[in-house]
Amino acid sequence: MEYTFSSKIATVKPSAIREILKMSSDPSVISLAAGNPAPDAFPVKEVEKITADILREDPILALQYSVTEGYPALRDTLRTFARNRYDVMGAEDDLIVVSGAQQGLELSCKCLCNEGDTMLCEDPSFVGALNAFRSYNVHLAGIPVEEDGLSIEALEKALKEQKNVKLLYTIPNFQNPSGATMSWEKRQRVYELCRQYNVMILEDNPYGDLRFEGESVPAIKTLDEEGRVIYCGSFSKILSPGLRVGFVVANEAVLQKLVVAKQCADVHTSILSQLICLRFLNDYDVEAHIGRLCEIYRRKSALMLGEMQKHFSPEVRTIRPQGGLFIWCTLPQGSDMLEFCRRAVADYKVAVVPGTAFTAKEDAPTTSFRLNFSTPTDENIVRGIEILGRLTHEFIR
Amino acid sequence: MEYTFSSKIATVKPSAIREILKMSSDPSVISLAAGNPAPDAFPVKEVEKITADILREDPILALQYSVTEGYPALRDTLRTFARNRYDVMGAEDDLIVVSGAQQGLELSCKCLCNEGDTMLCEDPSFVGALNAFRSYNVHLAGIPVEEDGLSIEALEKALKEQKNVKLLYTIPNFQNPSGATMSWEKRQRVYELCRQYNVMILEDNPYGDLRFEGESVPAIKTLDEEGRVIYCGSFSKILSPGLRVGFVVANEAVLQKLVVAKQCADVHTSILSQLICLRFLNDYDVEAHIGRLCEIYRRKSALMLGEMQKHFSPEVRTIRPQGGLFIWCTLPQGSDMLEFCRRAVADYKVAVVPGTAFTAKEDAPTTSFRLNFSTPTDENIVRGIEILGRLTHEFIR
């Protein structure tokens, strides 16, 4: 039969990264295209012990239906974690558990935006979030990203000119894909401007714990005195993405709506996953674990940057990340970046993600591409960057 | 600050059942209001062993990101399961894994309905599904449920009169809340009528395996030759609801859209949960396990029906379920059912769910309420029904 799909979903395309990743499943391809935690970053022994304990001590709890807001003891522990580690629990805020921060982003858009409303987002930005917003027929207006975070001038202009702006979506720490970190000054300006124009802020902080350089900058949420900021956190980078557990901190009135939407979406997050996260936070030294992760990523990032220094054409510009998983590279103006990425994977067997995957306006022209240093082995970082370096010299003449 | 929520979510209320369940968390209240599997229905030892094996043999797989469509080996096993056990895999159909059947329902509505489109649903029907549809501003038109399934006359009338009908939502087996099972004749008529009016069918079968009486009736999906039926299955009743794993069988073109929507929603379903389901299907005698579950529910249902026979006013009408978890009771016309339910919990300390929770038009008048026999202990079934019986006699004069 002929299908008629909703206008919401008809225009959303599967993530371009997925297509690249399909090509990179060819074992002869070195993939610098993923965004996965390093395999050695998982606390395997700890999770094995925790899970055995849960299923021996509390099997019915782990298998039965649970409540939409999240397992009460996990919410308690996370409230303390969010308060002590990130200082993001305002006096009228509360916290719910979601099925990965992705769900927090999607539900926030669903609850706050009507079709045709505008969301502002960093440009480039995380394609998974942009697609979630697109899937509600929201108009995305992009704000260019600079080395110290989004352009304040462009933000102010957009707030003035765009109609029905409901939310600003931002990843202030080690942004995906640019790797940029927003300065404290800019965070304050962003908050002030959004207050001035009465726009809410959706602050996504999946990589915040993975700082391996420089001084930590407080979240925008720490400035929030009126429930303007929805803060999304995640276990995906500090424990496991496969378990699908994240959390949202927001004003109680906003959370009530998110809970209604979450109940419609998946009833509740896997309770076994939640119990694993709970015991991990309670029974292990999470600070030490995060320190170990930062060490892994500091080393891998330095390795990739060092190899790039040796092999890349000096005309390729990069933003040096202070944390996270990505290095953003920009070819000289006028370069055919898509052809570069195509040749990289087809002729040189190295997969990178073309910057077009991340633009607010789909497939807008850009000469940038994204490298990932967390997933590949050290050996593949060295080989991949050397090969890619040859292509940069060949490509830029 | 003052919040403006989307029109989609502004009108959806938290499930009335949740409010009742909150009252019934008072330990002195006997709850006949839930819909959880019986605690002794969980294969605790099996899950304990399976999970230990997974985390010892394949920890990185269980903790790392996975693909949106579902873990490939689980999809393979489920394709065979769906084909052999339910005969629902058409020649052009495929199968994806979702985070509980609830997600399959929500994403189907999102992908197929624009705001203002009409969905037909059984009336009464599962409130979780109805709320998911409401959260997309879909107009719900209810079709009354009879002992042998929805009214064909009412369905034909609605198909003729309603505008922009996109989907019919139905639970043909042991429907929630009515317990009714749709006859084979009606299933054929439903399919023919939907074909005639070019409406798709969303067939939800969470309870289908829990038949403890009568002959099994093939799914509507078995009649589907043109990709008209989206079939949602679940592990919630046969393995565990807490793991949040379900599946959707549909035409490949429909699944492609569902996958895009699922990627936006939660990236993928907990991979640890998926691996547990996979090993359970592959390594254990699932038929024997389901047989054991049916035995539990046959006994508990017979116990409740027997006690009702002894204690209830004969003016309370019921539909005798052939499976599932629920018994639907209807007070005589003109009864104040809400007052009955209020007094049941407040004065008699027995919680039941008022029928208003399940009406297509929210809070439409009804004199029915729902009883659940799977969650309470045998002792609480006996005590609860005796107490409730006294109230029926007092109430109906």
Side-chain angles (χ1 to χ4, degrees):
Chain A
M1 62 181 284
E2 287 286 306
Y3 298 104
T4 313
F5 296 108
S6 71
S7 66
K8 292 185 286 293
I9 211 69
T11 55
V12 184
K13 290 180 287 190
S15 152
I17 300 181
R18 291 172 56 85
E19 302 308 309
I20 297 268
L21 290 180
K22 271 183 201 161
M23 277 205 267
S24 67
S25 71
D26 172 354
S28 71
V29 168
I30 295 176
S31 176
L32 308 178
N36 294 0
D40 53 344
F42 295 117
V44 166
K45 283 290 153 211
E46 291 85 341
V47 171
E48 197 182 333
K49 174 174 185 335
I50 285 169
T51 310
D53 290 349
I54 291 166
L55 289 173
R56 193 181 55 249
E57 295 164 17
D58 247 339
I60 304 302
L61 175 66
L63 296 176
Q64 187 58 282
Y65 276 117
S66 190
V67 292
T68 305
E69 293 86 344
Y71 183 61
L74 177 59
R75 292 177 73 199
D76 276 347
T77 295
L78 279 176
R79 285 188 193 101
T80 306
F81 191 67
R83 187 174 289 118
N84 294 352
R85 188 168 172 83
Y86 313 113
D87 189 25
V88 293
M89 289 291 296
E92 306 197 347
D93 287 335
D94 199 0
L95 178 148
I96 62 167
V97 177
V98 287
S99 304
Q102 176 76 28
Q103 187 177 53
L105 306 177
E106 201 244 19
L107 297 182
S108 295
C109 176
K110 181 175 183 176
C111 289
L112 287 156
C113 297
N114 287 317
E115 297 195 13
D117 281 347
T118 296
M119 278 184 71
L120 307 181
C121 59
E122 285 147 348
D123 195 359
S125 187
F126 169 47
V127 60
L130 301 187
N131 276 345
F133 307 150
R134 288 178 185 127
S135 81
Y136 287 102
N137 273 344
V138 163
H139 167 62
L140 293 179
I143 314 292
V145 180
E146 299 162 347
E147 286 216 22
D148 60 347
L150 56 74
S151 155
I152 295 293
E153 293 69 43
L155 173 62
E156 191 156 13
K157 188 160 179 289
L159 285 166
K160 254 184 212 150
E161 292 177 0
Q162 297 284 341
K163 303 276 177 250
N164 297 317
V165 180
K166 292 291 165 64
L167 274 170
L168 165 68
Y169 171 63
T170 175
I171 309 170
N173 291 317
F174 331 126
Q175 200 243 9
N176 180 1
S178 70
T181 294
M182 197 188 293
S183 66
W184 176 234
E185 291 66 35
K186 281 198 171 178
R187 293 181 196 216
Q188 291 169 294
R189 283 294 291 147
V190 164
Y191 184 74
E192 281 160 27
L193 282 169
C194 286
R195 178 154 62 179
Q196 185 182 335
Y197 287 90
N198 196 27
V199 164
M200 289 185 68
I201 297 170
L202 182 55
E203 180 172 26
D204 188 13
N205 193 22
Y207 315 108
D209 296 299
L210 305 181
R211 175 177 283 279
F212 45 71
E213 207 175 285
E215 284 299 305
S216 154
V217 186
I220 301 175
K221 181 71 181 161
T222 62
L223 298 162
D224 189 17
E225 288 177 349
E226 47 183 2
R228 184 171 299 286
V229 184
I230 301 172
Y231 177 93
C232 294
S234 175
F235 281 91
S236 293
K237 307 302 180 288
I238 62 169
L239 175 55
S240 149
L243 296 176
R244 311 303 308 132
V245 183
F247 59 92
V248 179
V249 176
N251 181 277
E252 176 56 38
V254 175
L255 286 187
Q256 272 179 21
K257 292 295 175 187
L258 291 179
V259 168
V260 169
K262 177 166 170 60
Q263 199 178 11
C264 296
D266 65 0
V267 189
H268 65 78
T269 296
S270 161
I271 176 72
L272 178 57
S273 291
Q274 292 187 65
L275 294 172
I276 294 171
C277 291
L278 173 63
R279 293 211 182 194
F280 184 70
L281 288 180
N282 281 346
D283 299 354
Y284 290 89
D285 184 342
V286 175
E287 291 302 325
H289 173 68
I290 290 174
R292 203 173 62 84
L293 298 186
C294 290
E295 209 42 68
I296 293 173
Y297 295 126
R298 175 183 296 118
R299 203 181 46 69
K300 286 181 105 74
S301 144
L303 177 65
M304 183 173 270
L305 285 165
E307 294 302 304
M308 287 168 70
Q309 186 84 36
K310 279 193 245 167
H311 299 293
F312 269 34
S313 156
E315 295 194 56
V316 180
R317 286 180 301 119
T318 61
I319 298 183
R320 184 184 176 86
Q322 301 186 333
L325 312 176
F326 305 112
I327 299 174
W328 188 238
C329 305
T330 302
L331 299 170
Q333 228 180 346
S335 300
D336 186 346
M337 177 277 302
L338 284 172
E339 174 64 9
F340 177 89
C341 295
R342 195 199 60 74
R343 284 184 59 190
V345 70
D347 303 345
Y348 288 76
K349 304 273 186 190
V350 178
V352 305
V353 186
T356 37
F358 307 101
T359 50
K361 193 166 168 335
E362 275 179 290
D363 301 325
T366 164
T367 62
S368 300
F369 60 93
R370 190 189 77 178
L371 298 179
N372 164 265
F373 53 79
S374 61
T375 319
T377 60
D378 291 0
E379 191 196 351
N380 276 346
I381 289 176
V382 172
R383 283 180 52 215
I385 293 297
E386 186 191 339
I387 296 170
L388 213 56
R390 285 210 299 277
L391 181 59
T392 64
H393 287 286
E394 217 176 286
F395 206 80
I396 303 167
R397 294 189 186 276
Chain B
M1 62 180 283
E2 287 287 306
Y3 297 104
T4 312
F5 296 107
S6 72
S7 66
K8 291 186 287 293
I9 213 69
T11 55
V12 184
K13 290 180 288 191
S15 153
I17 302 180
R18 291 172 55 86
E19 302 308 309
I20 298 268
L21 290 180
K22 271 182 200 160
M23 278 204 268
S24 66
S25 71
D26 171 352
S28 71
V29 167
I30 295 177
S31 177
L32 308 177
N36 294 1
D40 53 345
F42 295 116
V44 166
K45 283 291 154 211
E46 291 85 342
V47 172
E48 196 181 334
K49 174 176 184 335
I50 285 169
T51 310
D53 289 349
I54 291 166
L55 289 173
R56 193 181 54 249
E57 294 165 17
D58 248 339
I60 304 302
L61 175 66
L63 297 176
Q64 189 56 283
Y65 276 117
S66 189
V67 291
T68 304
E69 292 86 345
Y71 183 60
L74 177 59
R75 292 177 72 200
D76 276 347
T77 295
L78 279 176
R79 285 188 194 101
T80 306
F81 191 68
R83 186 175 290 118
N84 295 351
R85 187 168 173 83
Y86 313 113
D87 189 25
V88 293
M89 288 292 296
E92 305 196 347
D93 286 335
D94 200 1
L95 179 149
I96 62 167
V97 177
V98 287
S99 304
Q102 176 76 30
Q103 186 177 55
L105 306 177
E106 200 243 19
L107 297 183
S108 295
C109 176
K110 182 174 183 177
C111 290
L112 286 156
C113 296
N114 288 317
E115 297 194 12
D117 281 348
T118 296
M119 278 184 71
L120 307 181
C121 60
E122 286 148 346
D123 194 1
S125 187
F126 168 48
V127 59
L130 301 187
N131 276 345
F133 307 149
R134 289 179 183 125
S135 81
Y136 287 102
N137 273 343
V138 163
H139 167 62
L140 292 179
I143 314 293
V145 180
E146 300 162 346
E147 286 216 22
D148 60 346
L150 56 74
S151 156
I152 295 292
E153 293 69 44
L155 173 62
E156 191 156 12
K157 186 160 181 288
L159 285 166
K160 256 184 211 148
E161 292 177 0
Q162 296 285 341
K163 302 277 178 251
N164 297 316
V165 181
K166 292 293 164 63
L167 274 170
L168 166 68
Y169 171 63
T170 175
I171 309 171
N173 292 317
F174 331 126
Q175 199 243 9
N176 180 1
S178 71
T181 294
M182 198 188 293
S183 67
W184 176 234
E185 291 66 36
K186 281 198 171 179
R187 292 182 196 215
Q188 290 168 295
R189 284 293 291 147
V190 164
Y191 183 75
E192 281 159 27
L193 282 169
C194 286
R195 178 153 62 178
Q196 187 182 331
Y197 287 89
N198 197 27
V199 164
M200 289 186 68
I201 298 169
L202 183 54
E203 181 172 24
D204 187 12
N205 194 21
Y207 315 108
D209 295 299
L210 305 181
R211 175 178 283 279
F212 46 71
E213 207 174 286
E215 283 300 305
S216 152
V217 186
I220 301 174
K221 181 71 181 161
T222 62
L223 297 162
D224 189 16
E225 287 177 351
E226 44 183 4
R228 185 171 299 286
V229 184
I230 301 173
Y231 176 95
C232 294
S234 174
F235 280 91
S236 293
K237 306 303 181 290
I238 62 169
L239 177 54
S240 150
L243 295 176
R244 311 303 308 132
V245 183
F247 58 92
V248 179
V249 176
N251 181 277
E252 176 56 38
V254 175
L255 286 186
Q256 272 178 22
K257 292 295 175 186
L258 292 179
V259 167
V260 169
K262 178 168 171 57
Q263 200 179 8
C264 296
D266 64 0
V267 188
H268 65 78
T269 296
S270 160
I271 175 73
L272 178 58
S273 290
Q274 292 188 66
L275 293 172
I276 293 172
C277 291
L278 173 63
R279 294 212 183 195
F280 184 69
L281 288 180
N282 281 345
D283 299 355
Y284 289 90
D285 185 343
V286 175
E287 292 301 326
H289 172 68
I290 291 174
R292 204 172 63 83
L293 297 186
C294 291
E295 209 42 66
I296 293 173
Y297 295 126
R298 175 184 296 120
R299 203 180 47 69
K300 286 180 105 73
S301 144
L303 177 64
M304 184 173 271
L305 285 164
E307 295 301 305
M308 287 167 70
Q309 186 83 36
K310 279 193 246 170
H311 300 292
F312 269 34
S313 157
E315 295 194 57
V316 179
R317 285 180 301 119
T318 62
I319 298 183
R320 184 184 177 84
Q322 301 186 331
L325 311 177
F326 306 112
I327 299 174
W328 188 238
C329 305
T330 302
L331 299 171
Q333 228 180 343
S335 301
D336 186 346
M337 177 277 301
L338 284 173
E339 174 64 9
F340 177 89
C341 296
R342 195 198 60 73
R343 284 184 59 190
V345 69
D347 303 343
Y348 289 75
K349 304 274 186 191
V350 178
V352 305
V353 186
T356 38
F358 306 100
T359 50
K361 191 164 167 343
E362 275 179 291
D363 301 324
T366 165
T367 62
S368 301
F369 60 92
R370 190 189 77 178
L371 299 178
N372 164 264
F373 53 78
S374 60
T375 318
T377 61
D378 292 359
E379 192 196 351
N380 276 346
I381 289 176
V382 172
R383 283 179 52 213
I385 294 297
E386 187 192 337
I387 296 170
L388 214 56
R390 286 210 298 277
L391 181 60
T392 65
H393 287 287
E394 216 177 288
F395 206 81
I396 304 167
R397 298 191 183 270

